Amino acid sequence: MSRKKIIIIGAGITGPTLALTILKNPALKLMYEPILLDRQTRDTYAQGAGVVLSSNALHPLINLGLKDGLWEISQEVVEMSIYRDKRYLNSMVTPNWSPDIGGGTGLRVVERGALMKLLVDEVCAKGGEVQWGAKVVDLVARGDGVEVVIEGDASVFGDLAVGADGIWSVVRKSIIGEGWKPAFMNSSGIYGIYTPKEKTESSQGYIVLLDVAGLSTWPLPGGKYFWTITVPEATPPTSKSTTEKIAEYPNATIITGGYPLSSTLDILSRLSTTSHPSLPGGVCAELCQRSSRIVRAPLYQLVFESTQIVNATSNIVLTGDAARVMLPTSGQGACMGIEDATVLANSLLNNSSIRGALAEYANSRVPRSKSIASQAYWSGVVFMANRWVVRVARDWLMGILPKGRDAKE
């Protein structure tokens, strides 16, 4: 019996996880042949900044045999301390504690590019196919499958096409048509990877609350930090993102996200004077100066319905950020994508037909996606604290949580 082809569009995190789940399951490997397509070239692993993985993502990755490699490139978070300017408010010890994950906390931080490389390399090691530089421009139903059209008059046929191509998913656009874009949430995030002058291991993270929104720093191997800051925005950007190198930040490549470079520099200038309990001089100046990558991105959110993430008549399905776009306050963007890959693979295993598998997948993922997105929205309202009364309530609530309590208790 010939294997059915699954064309996975996008080799970020969700796509390779799905391919690897299929290749490492004896029954699925007999039935399906995954092929990864990505518009980028192989040397673009440095995209984005960092990823925070909680236990719902770590479990599937461990089950895929990736624990040793993942533990090598990631850092466990043992404690997150919360400050308001220079005032200590609270700490959470062993956040997201999970007794059956080595290290205990069930929370690890990894650079996005390093995680992508780990996954793709393992896919290739297991005999999986990856086609780089394949920009998908359309999907066309053909018989009982789908023709994936690639720029340059090329195409590939699959029995199933999986959209794992991110926020601005071409696959989603082909399913939904009008209304395929997520909603702008009047804010943008800036993310970076900071390397200190002296490399010392740390498992300590920080949240610094500002008058509006705040800054977070998450530990990485070698004493690095993955850092994020959120700022309010009146409108989404109207220009294309550019990549910049400037003298003020000699170590950094700045991805503008479509915003004027001057506005990003203004935010970074204000950030440099923000207090931080563990950085040299007690402020964030070095955080910006010694960051190798600074990425700005407008923030969107929308969970698509089951009829929108699946086109059963054409055997097309969405996963990851293509299926839902959530605010970073969920802390679950990459984690939900890894969940999607696991659930979709299980659905393919549990059903004799692709259409039955897609129906099962969609019916299980949409309710959970809506629940997580709702939590992210309200967490975002509190975190942004655009009104003074919300700001007072936010700071008070953070301060009355049990200080220093071990989460596993």
Side-chain angles (χ1 to χ4, degrees), residues 92-407:
M92 176 178 285
V93 182
T94 59
N96 198 49
W97 183 73
S98 180
D100 53 348
I101 291 180
T105 72
L107 198 66
R108 300 190 73 89
V109 187
V110 60
E111 291 189 50
R112 178 176 288 273
L115 179 57
M116 289 169 59
K117 188 176 187 306
L118 175 68
L119 289 165
V120 172
D121 284 354
E122 189 67 13
V123 168
C124 295
K126 295 301 176 183
E129 180 181 348
V130 184
Q131 295 184 17
W132 299 101
K135 181 180 179 181
V136 174
V137 294
D138 198 7
L139 292 92
V140 181
R142 198 188 82 184
D144 58 353
V146 58
E147 191 79 19
V148 179
V149 182
I150 301 170
E151 189 176 64
D153 295 326
S155 67
V156 58
F157 175 81
D159 299 276
L160 170 63
V162 180
D165 50 340
I167 292 178
W168 304 110
S169 169
V170 173
V171 184
R172 186 201 307 135
K173 186 177 182 180
S174 74
I175 295 177
I176 298 176
E178 187 176 353
W180 69 282
K181 295 181 179 180
F184 180 62
M185 300 303 289
N186 295 106
S187 55
S188 70
I190 301 182
Y191 313 97
I193 301 294
Y194 158 75
T195 303
K197 292 180 180 178
E198 297 182 5
K199 297 183 179 181
T200 57
E201 294 296 328
S202 173
S203 56
Q204 172 74 55
Y206 297 92
I207 296 173
V208 179
L209 300 174
L210 307 175
D211 284 344
V212 177
L215 164 76
S216 63
T217 54
W218 300 84
L220 285 165
K224 292 182 178 182
Y225 276 137
F226 161 48
W227 59 267
T228 74
I229 186 170
T230 308
V231 294
E233 303 284 356
T235 58
T238 56
S239 302
K240 290 186 177 180
S241 182
T242 61
T243 301
E244 308 286 347
K245 292 283 290 186
I246 58 169
E248 292 96 318
Y249 303 102
N251 298 303
T253 299
I254 300 177
I255 312 298
T256 64
Y259 291 98
L261 177 62
S262 58
S263 71
T264 301
L265 296 180
D266 180 61
I267 293 168
L268 294 176
S269 176
R270 286 183 276 122
L271 174 61
S272 67
T273 61
T274 299
S275 299
H276 193 283
S278 73
L279 291 171
V283 294
C284 293
E286 187 177 287
L287 190 72
C288 301
Q289 290 293 328
R290 295 192 59 82
S291 285
S292 58
R293 190 171 183 84
I294 298 173
V295 181
R296 187 175 181 186
L299 300 182
Y300 298 86
Q301 178 158 307
L302 189 61
V303 176
F304 296 93
E305 299 293 341
S306 58
T307 54
Q308 296 174 309
I309 68 170
V310 167
N311 185 336
T313 59
S314 300
N315 286 2
I316 303 174
V317 63
L318 301 179
T319 60
D321 288 344
R324 83 196 59 78
V325 182
M326 296 190 297
L327 290 171
T329 44
S330 69
Q332 286 291 304
C335 297
M336 290 291 283
I338 292 169
E339 273 193 30
D340 284 348
T342 305
V343 173
L344 179 55
N346 286 338
S347 297
L348 290 167
L349 189 61
N350 295 337
N351 290 268
S352 58
S353 71
I354 288 177
R355 293 182 182 181
L358 298 188
E360 179 183 297
Y361 164 80
N363 290 335
S364 66
R365 296 310 289 158
V366 171
R368 174 158 170 75
S369 297
K370 288 185 176 181
S371 175
I372 297 297
S374 178
Q375 295 174 38
Y377 173 79
W378 289 110
S379 296
V381 169
V382 173
F383 184 67
M384 288 296 290
N386 282 314
R387 300 175 62 185
W388 70 267
V389 65
V390 179
R391 192 174 310 138
V392 170
R394 177 197 65 179
D395 297 350
W396 177 75
L397 286 170
M398 292 294 184
I400 65 171
L401 294 174
K403 290 180 173 62
R405 180 173 179 176
D406 195 322

